[in-house]
Amino acid sequence: MSKRVVITGLGVAAPNGVGIPAFSHAIKNGISGIRHDAQLQELQFSCQIAGKPEITEELKAQYFTELELRGFNSTGILYGVIAGMEAWKNAGLPIEHNEEPDWDSGIIFGSGTSGIDKFRESIYKIDELQVRRLGSTVVAQTMNSGISAYLGGKLGPGNQVTTNSSACATGTEAILMAYDRIQSGQAKRILAGSTGDSGPYIWGGFDALRVCSSKYNDHPEQGSRPMSTSAAGFVPGSGAGALVIEELESALERGATIYAEILGGNVNSGGQRGNGSMTAPNSTAVQRCITHALHNSGISAPEIDAINGHLTATTKDSLEIENWTKALDRKGSDFPYINSLKSMTGHCLSAAGSIESIAAVLQLHEGFLFGNTNCDDLHPEITALIDPSKVPLKTIKMNPAIIAKASFGFGDVNACIIFKKFLL
């Protein structure tokens, strides 16, 4: 018999809040984490604003030893370890240094491009014939699975420890991979999430593609405008989100706080066929991903109270809404509420799915829906499809029972997950 799967721990390093209390406060109050970035201006980027978690030296010292920080230069691993360790502690799980691994626990923690600043530093040293001065942690900091390896060393899991990578769908996919493993009885709990490096070497390619917002360099907090008529591209962001995904039986046995239940989901690809390409979604695949997620979760479209969309503030926002209306067969005032966290954080790329899933879970657990900032001028293509009241501009108090979260990534890849308020 398949197991019920719940969420028992949350951790986050987001541009608008590091740690769950700060992040929860920020999303309820429409607080933006998007700031002017002097380095992007210096390097003559078109987009000179970004969303980056603010990490103090004191905070670093809580998670890394002095020795670990010597020669350390990987923002993605930094954010991921902070979020992952917070989620583990938040779940009430011990951090013990036993001789035996914890065979029941695993880690599935996604990343995009890992340790790019460390790569750059290493390339210069190699070119200057200083290969012997690279240090002993270059490989661990630059391998794609560096984040799960670092967390593995700190937590001692003995189950699957791996890193997935699916562009902007990475975080949502990691949660679903953890769900599958627990539901099938292969693990009791998995620390799932994703992380994304920050900085010009990550964001430069997007700036060159002209998909980033360049009209709001003097007004950073207004720069990220999902679903808005005046949207001018996405604002690059970074950070990490982590969730402890656990078998219900184990969670009840431990007396753990249960934040939400995962009913199921779906992952697919549009094959870069039809209207799909490396950078554009195949609408048929997006709709299939949503309808299969509902089917796998055992629910029907009318049961969805709210959607936490991918919605990046590009020209594809209205197409995403159209795909939701078709997949759910709901439009106008019958459409669920919908919001996009990116209005406050920017697009955190490989970290987006996990950070946004945490926002979805907090809404279920605490009984609210956060507002869409910078969306006073809802796009006419969207108002033609859904009632404007379904795009709340300010946080509303309500008790959603089911939230659908979707992420769509470069390479025409999709992931959709269904979260439910937990009831025994």
Side-chain angles (χ1 to χ4, degrees):
M1 192 179 121
S2 60
K3 315 266 185 186
R4 283 177 74 183
V5 180
V6 295
I7 296 159
T8 56
L10 300 172
V12 73
N16 63 341
V18 177
I20 292 299
F23 179 66
S24 179
H25 174 76
I27 65 174
K28 284 174 186 162
N29 292 281
I31 297 169
S32 175
I34 296 167
R35 291 170 280 273
H36 180 260
D37 191 303
Q39 194 182 14
L40 299 185
Q41 183 178 0
E42 200 181 300
L43 294 169
Q44 298 179 11
F45 274 50
S46 300
C47 175
Q48 297 169 7
I49 59 177
K52 272 197 297 199
E54 296 188 308
I55 311 287
T56 62
E57 291 304 313
E58 291 76 23
L59 189 63
K60 276 188 203 178
Q62 285 177 37
Y63 293 94
F64 294 87
T65 64
E66 220 173 288
L67 187 63
E68 284 174 324
L69 287 171
R70 199 177 299 162
F72 185 83
N73 193 13
S74 173
T75 49
I77 291 173
L78 173 68
Y79 304 146
V81 166
I82 290 171
M85 297 285 281
E86 184 193 14
W88 199 255
K89 287 177 193 163
N90 182 253
L93 293 163
I95 295 169
E96 296 170 337
H97 294 280
N98 298 332
E99 284 302 303
E100 263 314 83
D102 173 2
W103 305 115
D104 293 324
S105 299
I107 298 171
I108 300 176
F109 218 98
S111 75
T113 306
S114 197
I116 200 160
D117 287 311
K118 193 66 183 174
F119 255 124
R120 182 174 181 268
E121 182 191 304
S122 304
I123 287 163
Y124 279 123
K125 280 186 178 166
I126 292 165
D127 287 349
E128 288 161 10
L129 312 180
Q130 295 181 357
V131 69
R132 287 192 181 87
R133 296 185 63 187
L134 286 179
S136 60
T137 62
V138 168
V139 175
Q141 286 186 59
T142 56
M143 65 187 189
N144 220 37
S145 58
I147 177 54
S148 51
Y150 265 83
L151 282 166
K154 292 182 179 295
L155 302 175
N159 209 285
Q160 182 181 20
V161 173
T162 190
T163 293
N164 66 307
S165 192
S166 292
C168 312
T170 298
T172 309
E173 180 186 75
I175 298 166
L176 281 168
M177 288 169 74
Y179 166 82
D180 285 342
R181 191 161 180 85
I182 291 163
Q183 199 199 30
S184 63
Q186 295 182 76
K188 278 191 180 172
R189 71 196 62 83
I190 302 268
L191 178 63
S194 64
T195 189
D197 280 55
S198 59
Y201 307 109
I202 292 287
W203 300 329
F206 297 104
D207 201 72
L209 276 173
R210 296 280 184 269
V211 292
C212 293
S213 173
S214 58
K215 293 182 180 173
Y216 297 89
N217 289 338
D218 297 331
H219 305 282
E221 293 183 2
Q222 294 172 30
S224 185
R225 312 180 69 81
M227 298 184 281
S228 156
T229 303
S230 47
F234 76 76
V235 174
S238 56
L243 305 89
V244 174
I245 316 294
E246 190 163 2
E247 170 193 293
L248 176 60
E249 205 176 310
S250 162
L252 293 174
E253 210 173 276
R254 296 193 304 110
T257 298
I258 295 174
Y259 290 97
E261 182 170 4
I262 300 174
L263 294 183
N266 187 241
V267 173
N268 77 358
S269 166
Q272 299 180 46
R273 300 292 187 269
N275 62 345
S277 68
M278 178 62 79
T279 57
N282 175 330
S283 293
T284 306
V286 168
Q287 291 166 36
R288 280 173 67 94
C289 185
I290 296 164
T291 54
H292 287 194
L294 295 181
H295 178 264
N296 295 343
S297 302
I299 63 161
S300 59
E303 292 177 80
I304 292 176
D305 297 309
I307 296 163
N308 185 254
H310 186 60
L311 298 165
T312 57
T314 60
T315 54
K316 298 293 178 192
D317 284 5
S318 51
L319 177 61
E320 181 179 335
I321 302 287
E322 185 184 336
N323 285 330
W324 280 107
T325 62
K326 288 179 176 173
L328 301 178
D329 193 22
R330 294 175 65 182
K331 58 186 180 183
S333 57
D334 180 45
F335 194 75
Y337 286 103
I338 188 162
N339 54 17
S340 172
L341 187 71
K342 292 179 181 74
S343 60
M344 292 180 263
T345 60
H347 188 350
C348 296
L349 305 170
S350 53
S354 56
I355 295 173
E356 291 163 16
S357 289
I358 288 164
V361 168
L362 285 171
Q363 290 176 116
L364 288 169
H365 185 63
E366 297 182 21
F368 71 98
L369 283 179
F370 66 81
N372 295 280
T373 60
N374 304 324
C375 198
D376 297 336
D377 56 339
L378 194 56
H379 200 288
E381 286 176 12
I382 293 173
T383 56
L385 294 163
I386 65 172
D387 194 282
S389 67
K390 296 301 178 174
V391 185
L393 303 180
K394 294 271 188 292
T395 295
I396 52 178
K397 278 190 175 181
M398 65 171 287
N399 276 305
I402 294 179
I403 295 179
K405 165 75 203 132
S407 299
F408 313 115
F410 271 21
D412 200 7
V413 292
N414 311 306
C416 180
I417 190 164
I418 308 296
F419 297 110
K420 182 175 189 286
K421 192 174 184 73
F422 176 70
L423 298 165
L424 198 56

